[in-house]
Amino acid sequence: MACISFGKRLVACLLNISEARRKDLVETVARAAIYNTEGVRREGTTVLNIFNDHDYNRSVITIVASIDIIREAILSACERACKLIDMCDHTGVHPCMGAVDLIPIYPLGEEVRVEDCAKEALAVAEGLTERVQGTSAFLFGWADTPLQRGLAQRRKEMGWFRKTADLQAIRPDLGPAPQRRFGLTGVGASPYVMNCNVTINTQDITVGHSIAAAIRESTPGGLPGVQVLALPHEGAVEIACNVESVKGSPPSHMDTGEPWPSFSIDGQPYCHAPASLITARVAELAGRQGISTESTALVGFTPHECRGLAVLALSEGIAEFWKEQRRIRM
């Protein structure tokens, strides 16, 4: 395999499933992405990382392959997850609506176009609702044509942030009204989204909410591309950030001394806020209230790390690459 040319067609799917406490189950779902039902490995596909969070009861499985072959890997993993996870029994502090809660597709290679990702995400959504009877999906990002509404907006429209959603009132884009067992799945495509979680040393969730509101993109003076929740987590409060890539160059008024990671899609420049900036802003806001930060955790990788590790894994034929990552807290 010519790994350099192969890298030009790579995409990543950071599959979010509503289970973390049964790690053997999560690994079974991950293996379904890289092996067929006869146990034969799918060439050109790797799982780079598995992130588990016990309190959230949520896992993120990073699947990478060429856009030309990733669909079957994603759908096989989703089928397995839907078979093994029953949302009627789910508990966890993180908002969620589906056994398979989120299927985002991100371009990594320079030959992957926006249209390619949108088409593939729609095909995955259609495939899921056809292959697992009773599942439903909503579309976001490039797959949500022609509006191309972002994930946060679509989640709000679907009631994802509510503690108890009225499933029968939801009108999904594909499939029937959501059933309790499977819930509702978000499927879409966008520039890469990084997850950065900063833990602050308090149990006061109101402090967390105030910090989250201050750094959220929609707030004047907030951080571009940053969507935030404050959640109770392991006896403290976690500022959980989705760090979306934004089009263009880094904003000049946010010169932190560290360059903003940047890349291009279809010849258009994108960048995202570095984890150090998010950590520093949270530490500043928490410090004003006499509270320190405990730690910062990245869920997975930056776009450059994801592509580099994927090329490494695929060139060396490593399907279960997450086992190489266990020395790192993700």
Side-chain angles (χ1 to χ4, degrees):
M1 179 184 300
C3 62
I4 295 177
S5 61
F6 187 80
K8 295 179 179 180
R9 298 286 293 165
L10 287 178
V11 293
C13 174
L14 272 64
L15 184 69
N16 287 232
I17 64 172
S18 297
E19 178 60 62
R21 296 168 186 170
R22 295 175 289 173
K23 292 188 178 181
D24 56 337
L25 184 157
V26 177
E27 292 200 0
T28 297
V29 173
R31 289 192 180 94
I34 48 181
Y35 302 103
N36 67 19
T37 53
E38 285 75 42
V40 178
R41 184 190 163 203
R42 291 191 174 91
E43 292 297 326
T45 305
T46 184
V47 170
L48 290 183
N49 190 59
I50 300 175
F51 166 85
N52 309 103
D53 192 288
H54 184 275
D55 282 10
Y56 291 175
N57 202 10
R58 185 180 187 85
S59 297
V60 181
I61 301 169
T62 302
I63 306 167
V64 181
S66 164
I67 194 166
D68 306 300
I69 62 172
I70 199 169
R71 185 188 311 172
E72 186 58 33
I74 296 171
L75 286 173
S76 295
C78 290
E79 282 187 282
R80 191 63 56 87
C82 289
K83 181 178 180 180
L84 297 174
I85 301 169
D86 186 341
M87 288 302 290
C88 296
D89 303 323
H90 182 270
T91 59
V93 299
H94 197 288
C96 67
M97 289 185 76
V100 176
D101 198 55
L102 185 66
I103 310 174
I105 296 176
Y106 306 135
L108 297 176
E110 56 269 32
E111 291 183 0
V112 180
R113 301 174 303 160
V114 168
E115 294 81 5
D116 298 330
C117 295
K119 179 181 177 181
E120 201 59 31
L122 179 57
V124 167
E126 291 173 341
L128 174 63
T129 55
E130 290 169 2
R131 286 163 64 161
V132 183
Q133 294 298 305
T135 56
S136 338
F138 68 87
L139 302 172
F140 67 90
W142 296 327
D144 175 40
T145 56
L147 298 178
Q148 296 195 354
R149 290 165 289 184
L151 176 59
Q153 180 182 347
R154 299 265 33 223
R155 279 175 161 173
K156 187 174 182 180
E157 292 168 355
M158 295 291 156
W160 187 84
F161 295 102
R162 298 178 195 149
K163 288 187 176 180
T164 305
D166 182 1
L167 294 181
Q168 293 305 307
I170 294 171
R171 296 294 175 262
D173 296 319
L174 295 98
Q179 299 180 10
R180 283 196 66 202
R181 174 182 170 80
F182 301 119
L184 180 68
T185 301
V187 187
S190 73
Y192 200 95
V193 176
M194 187 180 72
N195 301 97
C196 176
N197 300 334
V198 184
T199 301
I200 58 175
N201 190 19
T202 182
Q203 295 183 352
D204 189 346
I205 194 65
T206 60
V207 173
H209 289 321
S210 68
I211 293 173
I215 67 173
R216 190 172 289 129
E217 178 184 42
S218 58
T219 301
L223 300 177
V226 176
Q227 312 294 334
V228 198
L229 291 173
L231 299 167
H233 188 257
E234 296 180 354
V237 171
E238 188 161 81
I239 310 301
C241 304
N242 274 7
V243 187
E244 298 176 352
S245 299
V246 294
K247 186 179 285 189
S249 302
S252 57
H253 67 284
M254 289 191 177
D255 183 8
T256 61
E258 178 181 342
W260 286 42
S262 59
F263 56 97
S264 64
I265 302 171
D266 277 355
Q268 297 293 318
Y270 287 84
C271 63
H272 64 80
S276 60
L277 173 61
I278 297 168
T279 302
R281 185 63 61 86
V282 171
E284 175 191 355
L285 293 166
R288 292 177 187 174
Q289 303 186 58
I291 296 168
S292 61
T293 58
E294 289 186 357
S295 62
T296 298
L298 298 183
V299 180
F301 315 100
T302 67
H304 285 300
E305 289 171 339
C306 191
R307 174 171 169 166
L309 289 172
V311 170
L312 172 65
L314 293 170
S315 65
E316 296 189 2
I318 306 172
E320 299 180 23
F321 192 79
W322 78 83
K323 293 179 178 178
E324 304 294 321
Q325 297 299 317
R326 290 199 167 151
R327 65 184 182 280
I328 305 172
R329 183 181 187 276
M330 290 295 178

